[in-house]
Amino acid sequence: MSPKINKRWVIKTVLLIGLSLTTSLLWENRKTANSNPLIPIAPVDNPPPNLLKPRKLKTPNSPSATPSPKPPEQPLVFAPPAQFRSQIVYKASINNSKVIALTFDDGPSPETVKILEVLHKHNAVATFFCLGANLREYPEIAKRVVQAGNAIGNHTWHHYSHNVTEKLASDEIDNTGVHIYRSTGAKSFLFRPPGGRLNNGLADYAKKKNYVVVMWSIDPKDFLQPPAAAIARSVLSQASTGAIVLLHDGGGNRQQTVEALSAIIPKLKQQGYRFVTVPQLLQMQAGQKQPIADQKSQ
């Protein structure tokens, strides 16, 4: 056999062997695929929630309703009934109850605290006519006066008794009113002129501003510091229903007034009197039934 023929034979033999091996491998792969189907995936016992349901989009919360603003607290006001505005009052006309009003001038001062203790001990109330200069110096004492259930009034800033212009009267009364409010949170339309002077311009300005000008019907002159027994005797001998008593809690040592008060209150209570503030006293008069003759004349 020639070398050329041998070479061709070798090539053919190699090609046949390769084709045979390829066919054999393809057949084996097909048999394996048919005998081994896909293995199913085992179910998950506790699948995460986000795999079961699509996530819901969060809707924004609706804005909460705006709370209604709280109404501003109304300040405490010490004012007389309308019929007493711009009037001068010395006592009240009360015909159906034994009541009396204690009043104190020229405070607040450390002496005021002693008087408050006596009033508290005997479950009594009073009306305090304060000086603006003292309100600025003792605002906490003024606050205690009102917190204890007493009324407060305007007694000007400096206690002037001489004639004043309307501008000065305005300064004296309006500035005191401001400090009444700052120290106690209350507004007052009760005015007492220093020294009881009604013609020096102060009372006229107060009436123009709708204050009631509160005078008095009993004056034991305790500002002169007489003995406590003399003060008590003067008040007890003049006591009557609707009376307004003038006393002092400022302007100096008021120990005699404090001692007299400790005798006045229990003795008047024994006589059937009740102690009220000036606004309460005037309200009682305003609430009384008018006599039939007066009603017919209207």
Side-chain angles (χ1 to χ4, degrees), residues 25-196:
L25 288 172
L26 289 173
W27 179 256
E28 287 296 328
N29 288 338
R30 185 175 180 183
K31 286 173 62 179
T32 302
N34 291 335
S35 60
N36 295 299
L38 293 175
I39 300 173
I41 300 174
V44 180
D45 292 335
N46 295 304
N50 59 347
L51 292 180
L52 298 178
K53 297 180 180 179
R55 180 179 296 176
K56 292 183 179 180
L57 295 176
K58 291 184 178 180
T59 56
N61 295 329
S62 58
S64 57
T66 303
S68 301
K70 292 183 179 180
E73 293 185 3
Q74 295 297 320
L76 181 63
V77 178
F78 296 109
Q83 68 199 65
F84 293 102
R85 293 290 183 97
S86 304
Q87 301 298 311
I88 300 172
V89 174
Y90 289 86
K91 67 177 295 184
S93 298
I94 306 293
N95 55 29
N96 58 4
S97 182
K98 293 185 74 172
V99 290
I100 195 167
L102 300 173
T103 66
F104 296 89
D105 285 10
D106 301 344
S109 76
E111 300 296 305
T112 308
V113 177
K114 301 174 185 177
I115 290 172
L116 289 175
E117 290 172 354
V118 176
L119 293 173
H120 177 72
K121 178 181 178 181
H122 296 286
N123 194 27
V125 292
T127 303
F128 292 77
F129 289 93
C130 298
L131 293 172
N134 288 348
L135 286 165
R136 183 174 59 184
E137 187 172 359
Y138 301 107
E140 289 302 317
I141 297 178
K143 186 176 182 180
R144 286 181 60 181
V145 167
V146 173
Q147 287 178 335
N150 303 289
I152 198 166
N154 192 315
H155 199 40
T156 75
W157 189 272
H158 289 106
H159 204 278
Y160 290 147
S161 58
H162 58 74
N163 292 344
V164 298
T165 64
E166 183 168 324
K167 174 62 171 60
L168 183 54
S170 170
D171 291 342
E172 287 288 307
I173 295 173
D174 293 347
N175 289 337
T176 300
V178 168
H179 279 265
I180 287 175
Y181 182 75
R182 286 180 179 175
S183 58
T184 69
K187 294 182 179 181
S188 180
F189 289 90
L190 312 175
F191 176 74
R192 174 166 286 166

Side-chain angles (χ1 to χ4, degrees), residues 234-250:
S234 176
V235 173
L236 293 172
S237 64
Q238 299 179 73
S240 61
T241 187
I244 298 174
V245 183
L246 171 63
L247 297 165
H248 293 79
D249 64 324

